[in-house]
Amino acid sequence: MEEELKNFIKVWVSIIISVSYCYYLSTRIKPGVLRLLSVLPVCVLFLLLPLFFSSVHFSGSAAFFFTWLANFKLILFSFDKGPLYPLPQTLSWFIYFTCFPIKSQHNPKSQNEIPKWVFAIKVIIFGVLLRMYDYKQHLSPTMLLVLYSLHIYLELEIGLVLVKALVFISLGCDLEPQFNEPYLATSLQDFWGRRWNLMVTAILRPAVYDPVQRIAEWKMSSDHARFLAVLATFLVSGAVHELIFFYITHKMPTGEVTWFFVLHGVCTAAEVAVRKRTFMQRWKMSHMVSRPLTVGFVVLTTGWLFFPPLIRSGMFEKLPNEVLLCIDFVKHKLFNFGS
């Protein structure tokens, strides 16, 4: 743990220097290819940062925050697009909004905000899940699938909420939530577009979906262009997830994760096309039916294509062990500090 913390400090020093370079030098270059060339060395560095860590949580977080989101933000910033445009007021704001999956909230009273008591219940459930791993050998494959799905969702949401809280304390500005109760999704479009990991959605739309749709409309109808843009967006997401899996498992990609996102891209595009038909606009499926169908499809396909590379690598043994180790480390430091 202490060695990882030393690497953590070294990585953050390099990040602050790199992002400061982008803020002070790259902003003085006209938007376009030249500015893109000026930020590419930083993007290459961010591709290497997860390799400095050995733990799943540190390497996975570095891959998600820097290799994926920060790089995409900087590429969009090169063309005056994305969450870094217009330019944040100060260097500290630029660093925060580059490095963390956050963006300013234009409506402070957003209905997507999670009540504190709901968050507290999720933390308790997550604690119970960690202890359930002690009885893993007694759980059926279906229960293990539910356990893994809940673990990934709750750990992501709790972790991102804590990041959001720290940034809010530092900056004092309202930030948009990253999840909007994905288990209440009524369709795949609702799940991926409005409920799951919203910062990624906000990045992929201007980085992949919009340009692909705009280019495709030169050669095909708007409906076909939209289908191609959705598929391209999910394909890029799948490729990036393969890279993240490589960082945390140290295994060569198998393509299963990419196929997971391709499948969801095709199904989401088909769902959107079907719902636009006249006869479907007159008929609306009850949420009591659409919610379990949507969540069930996501969970089953996750168990089929998304989880197998992680299970084979032993990641679901490492995840709870690292969380418990981190808790013990913090308790030990606090106890020593208090004494």
Side-chain angles (χ1 to χ4, degrees), residues 183-249:
Y183 46 83
L184 298 180
T186 57
S187 66
L188 290 176
Q189 183 185 23
D190 183 36
F191 179 87
W192 292 112
R194 292 183 286 270
R195 293 187 180 275
W196 181 263
N197 216 345
L198 301 177
M199 186 71 244
V200 170
T201 302
I203 290 293
L204 288 177
R205 177 173 286 278
V208 182
Y209 181 88
D210 290 342
V212 169
Q213 183 182 26
R214 195 161 49 246
I215 294 171
E217 284 179 341
W218 295 349
K219 299 291 185 180
M220 58 185 70
S221 67
S222 58
D223 286 341
H224 289 161
R226 192 177 299 111
F227 179 89
L228 185 62
V230 170
L231 192 58
T233 302
F234 278 88
L235 184 61
V236 170
S237 182
V240 176
H241 276 83
E242 294 278 10
L243 180 60
I244 293 175
F245 278 30
F246 167 74
Y247 288 131
I248 62 179
T249 66

Side-chain angles (χ1 to χ4, degrees), residues 60-293:
S61 298
F64 177 56
F65 287 5
F66 311 126
T67 303
W68 187 356
L69 293 184
N71 271 348
F72 272 61
K73 290 177 184 179
L74 289 173
I75 291 170
L76 289 170
F77 160 73
S78 301
F79 300 94
D80 276 352
K81 297 182 182 297
L84 299 180
Y85 180 80
L87 189 69
Q89 302 170 357
T90 64
L91 173 61
S92 61
W93 281 52
F94 188 79
I95 292 173
Y96 276 115
F97 282 98
T98 300
C99 297
F100 295 110
I102 57 174
K103 65 177 181 176
S104 296
Q105 182 169 267
H106 300 294
N107 178 17
K109 297 182 179 179
S110 172
Q111 294 181 350
N112 293 343
E113 199 66 43
I114 303 174
K116 291 182 177 60
W117 65 269
V118 173
F119 178 72
I121 291 175
K122 291 180 179 180
V123 172
I124 294 171
I125 294 174
F126 182 65
V128 173
L129 291 179
L130 291 178
R131 293 304 175 187
M132 285 181 66
Y133 279 94
D134 294 337
Y135 308 96
K136 181 180 171 183
Q137 66 273 18
H138 303 297
L139 299 178
S140 67
T142 302
M143 286 301 298
L144 282 175
L145 178 57
V146 173
L147 173 65
Y148 295 157
S149 300
L150 284 174
H151 184 150
I152 294 295
Y153 161 58
L154 289 174
E155 184 161 322
L156 279 173
E157 178 159 26
I158 291 170
L160 291 175
V161 166
L162 293 177
V163 168
K164 175 187 169 184
L166 290 173
V167 175
F168 174 78
I169 292 171
S170 302
L171 299 183
C173 66
D174 290 299
L175 303 170
E176 291 194 354
Q178 296 307 303
F179 291 90
N180 181 22
E181 313 301 345
Y183 46 83
L184 298 180
T186 57
S187 66
L188 290 176
Q189 183 185 23
D190 183 36
F191 179 87
W192 292 112
R194 292 183 286 270
R195 293 187 180 275
W196 181 263
N197 216 345
L198 301 177
M199 186 71 244
V200 170
T201 302
I203 290 293
L204 288 177
R205 177 173 286 278
V208 182
Y209 181 88
D210 290 342
V212 169
Q213 183 182 26
R214 195 161 49 246
I215 294 171
E217 284 179 341
W218 295 349
K219 299 291 185 180
M220 58 185 70
S221 67
S222 58
D223 286 341
H224 289 161
R226 192 177 299 111
F227 179 89
L228 185 62
V230 170
L231 192 58
T233 302
F234 278 88
L235 184 61
V236 170
S237 182
V240 176
H241 276 83
E242 294 278 10
L243 180 60
I244 293 175
F245 278 30
F246 167 74
Y247 288 131
I248 62 179
T249 66
H250 303 291
K251 306 286 186 183
M252 291 303 294
T254 62
E256 291 165 287
V257 182
T258 300
W259 280 114
F260 169 82
F261 282 97
V262 169
L263 173 63
H264 276 258
V266 171
C267 291
T268 301
E271 176 189 88
V272 172
V274 169
R275 293 175 74 175
K276 286 194 170 187
R277 301 297 180 186
T278 304
F279 70 91
M280 288 299 295
Q281 291 178 353
R282 297 173 183 171
W283 178 71
K284 188 175 181 181
M285 185 181 296
S286 168
H287 289 176
M288 295 293 290
V289 177
S290 61
R291 277 176 179 155
L293 284 178

